[in-house]
Amino acid sequence: MSKVNRQIDFSKSIDWQMTFADSIIDEIISVNSDLELTPVTAIENIVDDIPSFWVNKNQLSVLMQLVRFELYDPFTMCFDLAAIDETERQHKAAHLRDFTISYHLRSHSRNQDIRIKVALTSSDKTLASVCQYWKNANWYEREIWDMFGIVFEGHPYLTRILMPNTWQGHPLLKTHPARATEMEPFTLTPDQQDKEQQALKFNPEAWGMKRKNKDDDFMFLNLGPNHPSVHGAFRIVLQMDGEEIIDCVPDIGYHHRGAEKMGERQSWHSYIPYTDRIDYLGGVMNNFPYVMAVEKLAGITVPDRAKVIRIMTSEMFRILSHLLFYGTFAQDIGALSPIFYMFIDREKLFAIIEAFTGARMHPSWFRIGGIAQDLPIGWDKLVREYVNYLPKRLDEYEKMVMQNSILKQRTVDVGSYSTQEAIDWGVTGPGLRATGYSWDLRKQRPYSGYDQFDFEVPLGHKGDCYDRCRVRVEEMRQSIRIIEQCLNNMPEGPYKADHPQTTPPNKSRTMTDIDTLIPHFVNVSWGPVIPAGEVSMFVEATKGIMGYHLISDGSTMSYRTRIRTPSFPHLQMLPAICKGQMVADLIATLGSVDYVMADVDR
């Protein structure tokens, strides 16, 4: 392993988002001169520099056709699709109406994102579906219907996805209560219980499935809701022809806790612990995009030392997550021993995390402007011991797991998909790189100083279960390289920005200066007031790209908190890759996807 011993230079500026909305519009016009872009008049200036422009709803389908298929380097991935209830917004631009639908599209070949926005009124909450352009828009549109009641015309099956089918109302509307104490006490009478049970029955015809073909009757197998491979409560209904899977319907929502709704009632600071519970194996990696988004809105510059500590602890949690994946994946295939050895490795690393933060899985340690406290005395010895320890263990696991002939027979050429299929379905992270496509956010769009580190991007070549495991195994080795570079090049200086909006603010003079005491009290009790604005920030998390889209209305709380998680589009792809498999193959495929249901449901 090569070692880099040098002073990390954070003065280097990498502008990876040199894009201009005007040039994109000119390109669209040149492709189709008949397209009327007026009244698509508003080009929004957003602090994250992603070109964002507004489209008349009647022009949406034509524009999406051009953007998806007819540009020279088209926007082939529907990265996210979200809605905003604008009815209570105070800092409201002229082009805003009652609701906004925001399409976040990505072109990997351009290394460029765009937002296309559509304004809707309460009296006309309908919009054309874009499922014909991006397959993974299916679940996103269902989610918006579920949460906001917006109808997407032409959607193949617009039904609830996170809430029960019997649910009344749409939870992310501003009129919907955010706390249980604002609602009537819950009761479930015997009659209502019977209705709820009846609503859970699976109707194949509603999903376009047939109960039989000309020769055979199909069997419908209910897998769950249980914890397959300890990922969380999840249900899959399998359409079976004998032992072969003909089709399947993933059923999610059993872990839904309303994390986005909670973001509208918590202060910017007090919401940080909620982020830990999204990918509950990702630890501080969950805090990372959220605090970066708030810092971007507030104009806070994070000190170099805090940046390196953030990177180091994030890579530690990447290892922790991948070790659990590694052990449970082998267990799914039938190898019981590896997970016991790997839990020993996780415990050693958790001891370091606990020494740093005082907690283990959910430390909630990142803060707006930096981290909660500086590293303890002797931290470097703990870290150096671990970076010397883990590579030898990974070598042992290589023989025990990756070279195991049974595991290879169960995973090679099983659950495979191509790069184009991955992009069509919104797959990011190891699942995309397993197809041989080198796209890592830490390389393509470095954040928090990742451009100053020397590491490789592991790739597969088949996009099958084995490659998805192989990529994560090699990522652990690269994380060790990054952690060692943090260890050898840790900058001196403060661990938190000296900015009035940091949380908690500097307390050095609070007992001697009333002008410091009052802001400190207000900032701690109510939280900072973040300037009005909108921003998206993303990180290369353990399971793919995780991001937060935050809207501030100039308040102590977020007006809209949108969480883009990797597992949500990954699970949507299951029907496409499980057809023709046996049930045992499906278990291997599920394990290789490496999802957690809290990351899916939020």
Side-chain angles (χ1 to χ4, degrees):
M1 179 178 68
S2 63
K3 296 182 179 180
V4 178
N5 292 287
R6 52 183 167 76
Q7 183 62 38
I8 299 176
D9 177 18
F10 283 97
S11 63
K12 182 180 179 183
S13 175
I14 292 189
D15 190 352
W16 51 264
Q17 198 70 340
M18 294 295 292
T19 59
F20 304 94
D22 287 338
S23 65
I24 294 173
I25 292 176
D26 289 343
E27 188 176 351
I28 292 171
I29 294 174
S30 67
V31 172
N32 189 336
S33 58
D34 295 331
L35 179 65
E36 295 253 354
L37 282 176
T38 54
V40 186
T41 53
I43 299 176
E44 202 167 2
N45 185 19
I46 295 178
V47 294
D48 57 19
D49 297 327
I50 298 176
S52 304
F53 50 94
W54 293 79
V55 179
N56 184 286
K57 61 176 289 186
N58 299 324
Q59 303 265 339
L60 181 67
S61 293
V62 177
L63 181 63
M64 291 305 197
Q65 167 77 20
L66 295 173
V67 167
R68 172 63 182 87
F69 295 111
E70 299 183 24
L71 296 185
Y72 180 72
D73 285 314
F75 291 83
T76 52
M77 178 181 283
C78 180
F79 183 72
D80 196 19
L81 205 169
I84 304 103
D85 182 347
E86 309 279 10
T87 54
E88 296 182 5
R89 196 164 172 179
Q90 300 301 311
H91 295 81
K92 201 168 182 177
H95 48 269
L96 294 180
R97 296 295 180 265
D98 298 323
F99 295 93
T100 298
I101 307 298
S102 178
Y103 299 84
H104 190 140
L105 309 178
R106 172 162 295 171
S107 171
H108 292 88
S109 56
R110 296 170 183 253
N111 193 14
Q112 183 182 77
D113 291 6
I114 61 171
R115 288 194 195 92
I116 295 176
K117 294 186 173 184
V118 181
L120 299 177
T121 62
S122 297
S123 59
D124 186 15
K125 294 172 62 175
T126 61
L127 193 60
S129 171
V130 296
C131 289
Q132 58 182 315
Y133 309 119
W134 293 278
K135 297 177 182 177
N136 67 321
N138 186 310
W139 275 19
Y140 287 119
E141 291 180 351
R142 285 179 61 193
E143 181 185 15
I144 291 175
W145 148 246
D146 197 359
M147 297 292 110
F148 293 89
I150 294 170
V151 175
F152 291 90
E153 297 174 333
H155 190 283
Y157 189 49
L158 195 62
T159 185
R160 292 198 182 270
I161 186 169
L162 297 178
M163 308 305 292
N165 288 328
T166 55
W167 187 267
Q168 299 297 315
H170 303 282
L172 282 182
L173 294 178
K174 292 297 182 179
T175 54
H176 197 282
R179 299 179 184 273
T181 52
E182 301 173 43
M183 306 175 72
E184 293 295 324
F186 178 77
T187 58
L188 188 64
T189 64
D191 287 345
Q192 186 62 33
Q193 182 173 339
D194 290 342
K195 292 179 181 178
E196 296 286 346
Q197 292 288 345
Q198 187 68 26
L200 289 174
K201 288 186 177 180
F202 180 73
N203 180 14
E205 287 79 8
W207 293 94
M209 294 180 174
K210 296 181 179 179
R211 295 182 182 268
K212 61 182 179 180
N213 59 23
K214 62 179 182 179
D215 299 319
D216 303 296
D217 289 345
F218 295 131
M219 177 177 67
F220 291 90
L221 178 63
N222 190 58
L223 183 65
N226 59 2
H227 280 230
S229 310
V230 301
H231 297 286
F234 177 42
R235 177 193 187 201
I236 314 177
V237 180
L238 302 175
Q239 183 185 28
M240 307 287 298
D241 184 3
E243 297 183 27
E244 181 182 346
I245 299 173
I246 303 300
D247 202 351
C248 76
V249 175
D251 184 18
I252 65 175
Y254 297 94
H255 266 269
H256 185 55
R257 293 157 298 154
E260 294 185 5
K261 187 74 171 180
M262 292 175 188
E264 300 175 11
R265 73 178 199 204
Q266 302 296 132
S267 73
W268 297 101
H269 184 213
S270 65
Y271 187 68
I272 293 174
Y274 289 89
T275 68
D276 274 35
R277 276 77 181 172
I278 304 303
D279 172 9
Y280 48 68
L281 302 177
V284 297
M285 194 83 80
N286 293 279
N287 309 154
F288 212 165
Y290 175 75
V291 296
M292 285 201 305
V294 179
E295 289 157 3
K296 190 76 170 178
L297 282 171
I300 298 172
T301 301
V302 179
D304 295 349
R305 182 175 179 85
K307 288 181 179 179
V308 178
I309 294 173
R310 283 179 174 183
I311 287 175
M312 181 173 67
T313 51
S314 293
E315 295 303 322
M316 288 179 178
F317 270 99
R318 192 183 308 278
I319 293 172
L320 286 165
S321 179
H322 283 358
L323 279 173
L324 183 62
F325 156 78
Y326 204 4
T328 55
F329 180 64
Q331 185 180 20
D332 290 342
I333 307 302
L336 188 58
S337 298
I339 193 170
F340 293 106
Y341 294 107
M342 294 174 193
F343 259 79
I344 294 173
D345 303 338
R346 295 182 82 241
E347 286 302 310
K348 288 180 180 292
L349 190 49
F350 271 133
I352 298 174
I353 296 294
E354 189 173 8
F356 288 4
T357 71
R360 287 161 51 89
M361 285 188 68
H362 302 140
S364 305
W365 197 53
F366 288 3
R367 293 291 183 272
I368 301 169
I371 53 177
Q373 64 267 340
D374 207 347
L375 296 172
I377 297 174
W379 71 271
D380 51 340
K381 181 180 178 182
L382 295 174
V383 175
R384 195 169 297 281
E385 287 177 353
Y386 195 80
V387 299
N388 292 332
Y389 161 84
L390 187 61
K392 299 174 184 177
R393 298 282 284 192
L394 293 177
D395 291 341
E396 295 179 16
Y397 303 148
E398 178 72 20
K399 301 174 185 177
M400 185 187 304
V401 182
M402 300 308 294
Q403 299 306 322
N404 185 291
S405 60
I406 297 177
L407 183 134
K408 284 186 172 182
Q409 291 172 15
R410 292 285 310 277
T411 59
V412 174
D413 295 324
V414 173
S416 61
Y417 50 78
S418 67
T419 298
Q420 187 56 57
E421 288 174 315
I423 292 173
D424 287 344
W425 287 102
V427 176
T428 58
L432 176 60
R433 294 189 287 274
T435 67
Y437 192 66
S438 181
W439 214 94
D440 188 312
L441 201 68
R442 297 170 295 173
K443 288 284 190 180
Q444 264 65 32
R445 304 178 182 182
Y447 54 91
S448 193
Y450 264 110
D451 55 295
Q452 303 297 314
F453 290 85
D454 179 25
F455 65 99
E456 305 298 325
V457 178
L459 301 176
H461 63 283
K462 289 186 175 182
D464 57 11
C465 293
Y466 188 83
D467 276 356
R468 288 193 282 276
C469 183
R470 167 63 70 194
V471 166
R472 292 183 178 94
V473 171
E474 295 305 317
E475 282 188 356
M476 286 191 280
R477 297 186 186 274
Q478 299 304 316
S479 292
I480 287 292
R481 288 181 63 184
I482 295 172
I483 292 170
E484 189 170 19
Q485 291 170 64
C486 293
L487 178 63
N488 294 334
N489 302 284
M490 182 62 68
E492 298 295 333
Y495 62 88
K496 188 173 60 175
D498 185 15
H499 189 283
Q501 302 296 67
T502 56
T503 53
N506 193 306
K507 197 178 180 180
S508 58
R509 297 187 307 172
T510 54
M511 304 310 293
T512 59
D513 183 356
I514 190 66
D515 291 330
T516 305
L517 176 62
I518 293 174
H520 186 278
F521 175 80
V522 172
N523 213 346
V524 169
S525 57
W526 293 351
V529 176
I530 301 300
E534 182 176 352
V535 69
S536 292
M537 296 299 289
F538 306 97
V539 299
E540 188 68 51
T542 61
K543 293 165 176 57
I545 297 178
M546 169 181 278
Y548 275 78
H549 181 80
L550 301 181
I551 296 178
S552 173
D553 204 24
S555 171
T556 58
M557 297 180 290
S558 169
Y559 184 83
R560 175 74 168 100
T561 300
R562 168 63 181 172
I563 311 171
R564 194 277 177 191
T565 64
S567 297
F568 185 80
H570 292 179
L571 274 196
Q572 187 179 180
M573 193 184 186
L574 277 180
I577 60 177
C578 76
K579 292 178 181 179
Q581 290 186 346
M582 304 299 180
V583 175
D585 296 331
L586 175 63
I587 300 303
T589 301
L590 286 172
S592 71
V593 171
D594 187 28
Y595 62 92
V596 294
M597 290 310 301
D599 193 57
V600 178
D601 296 345
R602 285 153 283 124

